[in-house]
Amino acid sequence: MSTKGEAVALGLAEMTSAVMATCRHGMAARLKRVILDRDYYPKKWGLGPRAKVKKNMKDAGTLDKFGRPNDLTPKGWNPMTNLLDAEGTANVVVVSEPKEENLKRKKSEDKKEKKEKKDKKKKKKERKESSDEDVDMD
């Protein structure tokens, strides 16, 4: 149900309401049927003030790749607070440009992850080939 009272979809809950209130991510419901027509609303996801600030903070390295606070996150940042003040103007945390060392660290971590995935894939392929050879010999 949308905030306008429109039926969007039907689904079965995967967790209780108490768990949903405390959960930051995960699957809350298993979708059964979508009711709302495709392209009924324009695609505007991620264009708001919070999304822009969060994206800048991720690029700067002050949030991790999932948008969670890390050791470089400013103390004033709280993802649960509203970014708009009483007048409706954006009360946004100013984030500087990504630091050179953060970008280098991020790139090196990405390279390590890619290499580990590649190695795992290679080992899996080798195991599969060796098991296929064992079957062919019999």
Side-chain angles (χ1 to χ4, degrees):
M1 185 70 80
S2 74
T3 57
K4 295 181 181 179
E6 302 161 321
V8 176
L10 297 174
L12 296 173
E14 292 289 312
M15 54 180 79
T16 64
S17 59
V19 174
M20 283 184 208
T22 59
C23 222
R24 302 197 95 203
H25 65 280
M27 201 165 88
R30 188 175 303 270
L31 193 63
K32 289 294 181 186
R33 172 113 18 206
V34 177
I35 299 169
L36 197 65
D37 291 332
R38 186 180 298 270
D39 298 327
Y40 185 75
Y41 288 109
K43 294 184 176 159
K44 297 285 186 179
W45 191 264
L47 298 177
R50 176 176 299 280
K52 288 178 183 176
V53 169
K54 201 168 186 180
K55 184 177 185 296
N56 289 340
M57 290 180 77
K58 279 195 243 179
D59 292 342
T62 55
L63 294 176
D64 69 359
K65 68 180 184 177
F66 300 110
R68 295 179 297 223
N70 60 21
D71 56 336
L72 301 173
T73 306
K75 292 183 180 180
W77 171 256
N78 184 358
M80 298 300 185
T81 59
N82 193 355
L83 286 176
L84 301 178
D85 59 12
E87 292 85 39
T89 57
N91 188 12
V92 179
V93 178
V94 177
V95 179
S96 62
E97 288 296 316
K99 294 181 180 176
E100 192 77 27
E101 63 186 48
N102 290 340
L103 291 176
K104 287 179 182 177
R105 183 170 36 124
K106 191 174 184 181
K107 285 180 183 178
S108 65
E109 288 173 1
D110 289 344
K111 285 181 183 178
K112 287 178 186 177
E113 288 177 11
K114 285 181 183 179
K115 186 176 181 182
E116 288 172 3
K117 284 182 182 180
K118 191 174 181 180
D119 290 343
K120 282 184 181 180
K121 209 176 210 182
K122 189 175 180 181
K123 286 179 184 179
K124 187 176 181 180
K125 187 176 180 180
E126 289 173 356
R127 276 190 257 132
K128 186 176 180 183
E129 288 175 356
S130 65
S131 66
D132 287 344
E133 290 174 3
D134 293 340
V135 172
D136 291 340
M137 290 183 175
D138 293 336

